[in-house]
Amino acid sequence: MALIVQKYGGSSVADADSIKRVAKRIAEAKRAGDSVVVVVSAMGDTTDELIDLAQQMTPLPPSREMDILLTAGERISMSLLAMAISSLGVDAQSFTGQQAGVITDSVHGRARIIDVTPGRIQQAVEGGAVAIVAGFQGVTQSTNDVTTLGRGGSDTTAVALAAALGADVCEIYTDVDGVFTADPRIVPTARKIDRISYDEMLEMAASGAKVLMLRCVEYARRYAVPVHVRSSFSAHTGTLVTDATEEVEGAPMEQPIIAGVAHDRSEAKITIVDVPDVPGKAARIFEVVAGSGVNLDMIVQNVSVASTGRTDISFTLPAADGAAATAALTEHQPDIGFGSLQYDDTIGKLSLIGAGMKSHPGVSARLFAALSDAGINIEMISTSEIRISVVTRADQLDEAVRAVHTAFDLDSADGQAVVYGGSGR
Ligand code: ADP
Ligand code: ASP
Ligand code: MG
């Protein structure tokens, strides 16, 4: 008998009929003899709707209250799903993150899991029930306050529970058939990847492929949890995310140079103009930004103009953190001594990911040629061992992704990638 953790995303439980459909699927897995623990997201776009509501109260809601509000979404879906499963004659009990033993630090809005003590879940499963756990939420040890794990956090709840329970597999059910070579909403000819390494999936997730949350992939790699990403709307086998060296029967690791193309529309660019080109200024700028709790992504410093001894520094950051970073830098403008600051949230980021690029020359040349042929200007570039990222204008991003996907021969010959549901929000 296997222990399976299944996670159903918002689009899989968007309305009453969807919840009933998912309940049938869970009941079937249970009747087949497996022990089943389910992690569920809020229905459809509930989380976004709750955020919109909060913003009507105040533009900057207190983060503690925000977390209490948002965790309500998952509590609605977990109890409805338990009712639907029970109505099929299968025992089911739902649990909040706190009841499930998901312990986090106290950083509201993006808390990290520090421990999982799933005693009540184990009890429920041993008693023959399906345990349903509210995704995306936990509780702090110090204050007992409710926390959330950041957008897409139910993926992380699922993998963390799978690790703590020693589950055989963590199945992530979503609205597409697996991880594709690009977002099927943008590239209909994207190909489903049968098997991908944790490392490549980490870069894909970090570069905006929101099919899996970054933190969930980090967790899966650390605890060696095999993750199966698949659709709740079809019976197709999806994508297995595992260690590159592990032998998995029937799922050979694909070894192409390029795994896929990811895109990210959620970043903004800050350019600090006329920075004195002397030691210590960059350090000061990034201290100030870090002090405002903001994580940077790409950084570019221009060659300084010899006659002025001044230079420009640009960096990208999550657009959601734009106001905080801009305010902190403006406050320190006199002591840093820069001329002015430009803020631009109409950028897009494209990333090409593939473990094979380590040992294959010419990947960057092919990428830049594809973008230039499509008439797309590159504003910033950054690389890792297995990734090349470029910043473009936001309104050219989709076209850029399609051009690069084609240039690297990633288009599938057999039919179009299906998007079964969801608003893509
Ligand atoms: P869920 O509600 O199930 O958590 P998400 O919206 O978080 O679903 O993630 C699924 C979506 O991820 C897909 O609908 C797709 O638009 C998007 N996506 C982005 N990049 C990829 C990719 N490379 N492969 C598959 N889906 C992707
Ligand atoms: N409901 C949360 C969100 O929309 C968590 C999740 O779906 O994973 O981000
Ligand atoms: Mg998600």
Side-chain angles (χ1 to χ4, degrees):
M1 189 173 87
L3 172 60
I4 304 174
V5 173
Q6 301 189 330
K7 177 257 172 178
Y8 291 89
S11 49
S12 298
V13 291
D15 51 33
D17 284 342
S18 311
I19 293 177
K20 289 185 193 168
R21 185 176 52 79
V22 163
K24 266 197 204 135
R25 192 159 191 147
I26 296 166
E28 272 162 29
K30 177 78 180 117
R31 288 203 178 106
D34 291 326
S35 292
V36 186
V37 173
V38 174
V39 172
V40 69
S41 290
M43 295 170 68
D45 291 331
T46 302
T47 307
D48 290 292
E49 286 155 12
L50 291 173
I51 293 172
D52 290 349
L53 257 178
Q55 240 126 37
Q56 289 176 47
M57 303 303 132
T58 162
L60 276 179
S63 55
R64 178 183 181 278
E65 302 314 318
M66 203 60 198
D67 274 357
I68 293 180
L69 176 70
L70 296 189
T71 53
E74 270 70 12
R75 292 176 188 222
I76 295 172
S77 51
M78 75 177 197
S79 42
L80 292 175
L81 185 56
M83 291 173 199
I85 296 171
S86 300
S87 80
L88 299 173
V90 172
D91 191 13
Q93 284 176 29
S94 67
F95 300 90
T96 64
Q98 179 167 14
Q99 290 174 312
V102 181
I103 316 288
T104 72
D105 64 18
S106 56
V107 185
H108 285 293
R110 51 176 167 210
R112 292 185 84 93
I113 297 178
I114 50 181
D115 198 9
V116 183
T117 51
R120 288 199 69 181
I121 305 304
Q122 271 155 336
Q123 259 174 18
V125 170
E126 280 159 19
V130 173
I132 317 280
V133 179
F136 169 64
Q137 55 183 263
V139 66
T140 58
Q141 224 157 12
S142 45
T143 58
N144 237 15
D145 275 335
V146 168
T147 52
T148 62
L149 309 179
R151 296 309 305 271
S154 301
D155 296 341
T156 307
T157 306
V159 169
L161 265 175
L165 294 166
D168 296 280
V169 65
C170 179
E171 298 180 332
I172 304 280
Y173 284 92
T174 184
D175 53 17
V176 289
D177 277 314
V179 180
F180 284 73
T181 47
D183 186 342
R185 286 179 203 271
I186 293 183
V187 185
T189 52
R191 252 187 331 103
K192 192 187 83 193
I193 302 170
D194 290 330
R195 197 173 155 207
I196 188 169
S197 67
Y198 291 125
D199 288 342
E200 285 174 317
M201 194 61 232
L202 264 182
E203 291 279 5
M204 294 275 281
S207 307
K210 69 166 184 162
V211 61
L212 285 181
M213 192 206 198
L214 173 60
R215 210 92 66 62
C216 124
V217 189
E218 284 171 353
Y219 217 103
R221 180 171 68 168
R222 183 167 336 128
Y223 294 96
V225 178
V227 175
H228 183 182
V229 182
R230 58 192 309 187
S231 168
S232 71
F233 299 81
S234 81
H236 301 314
T237 304
T239 301
L240 199 60
V241 188
T242 56
D243 201 299
T245 55
E246 203 174 315
E247 300 267 336
V248 176
E249 212 183 310
M253 181 70 71
E254 292 175 49
Q255 294 289 357
I257 301 171
I258 301 303
V261 187
H263 72 281
D264 192 347
R265 232 180 278 281
S266 67
E267 292 197 348
K269 177 169 80 171
I270 289 182
T271 302
I272 309 178
V273 184
D274 258 352
V275 181
D277 196 4
V278 293
K281 287 297 171 188
R284 190 70 200 111
I285 287 172
F286 294 116
E287 269 166 24
V288 166
V289 176
S292 63
V294 173
N295 273 328
L296 301 186
D297 185 16
M298 296 186 187
I299 301 173
V300 174
Q301 174 172 341
N302 290 344
V303 177
S304 79
V305 182
S307 57
T308 62
R310 287 180 166 262
T311 186
D312 296 344
I313 295 180
S314 298
F315 59 87
T316 62
L317 72 174
D321 293 334
T326 309
L329 283 166
T330 307
E331 188 191 327
H332 287 276
Q333 184 168 5
D335 58 279
I336 301 171
F338 63 87
S340 60
L341 188 151
Q342 290 167 5
Y343 182 73
D344 179 358
D345 59 4
T346 53
I347 60 162
K349 186 175 79 174
L350 175 151
S351 302
L352 190 63
I353 290 122
M357 66 171 77
K358 270 190 270 198
S359 50
H360 279 81
V363 173
S364 328
R366 197 156 154 194
L367 168 67
F368 300 149
L371 292 170
S372 124
D373 290 348
I376 291 158
N377 190 38
I378 301 171
E379 300 182 18
M380 293 168 101
I381 302 169
S382 83
T383 59
S384 83
E385 224 184 6
I386 64 167
R387 173 186 52 79
I388 309 171
S389 302
V390 298
V391 166
T392 67
R393 284 293 91 208
D395 58 7
Q396 290 188 311
L397 185 59
D398 289 0
E399 203 188 327
V401 171
R402 286 190 281 264
V404 171
H405 195 266
T406 302
F408 283 89
D409 300 325
L410 296 173
D411 293 319
S412 91
D414 51 1
Q416 305 227 318
V418 182
V419 178
Y420 296 93
S423 64
R425 192 170 171 187

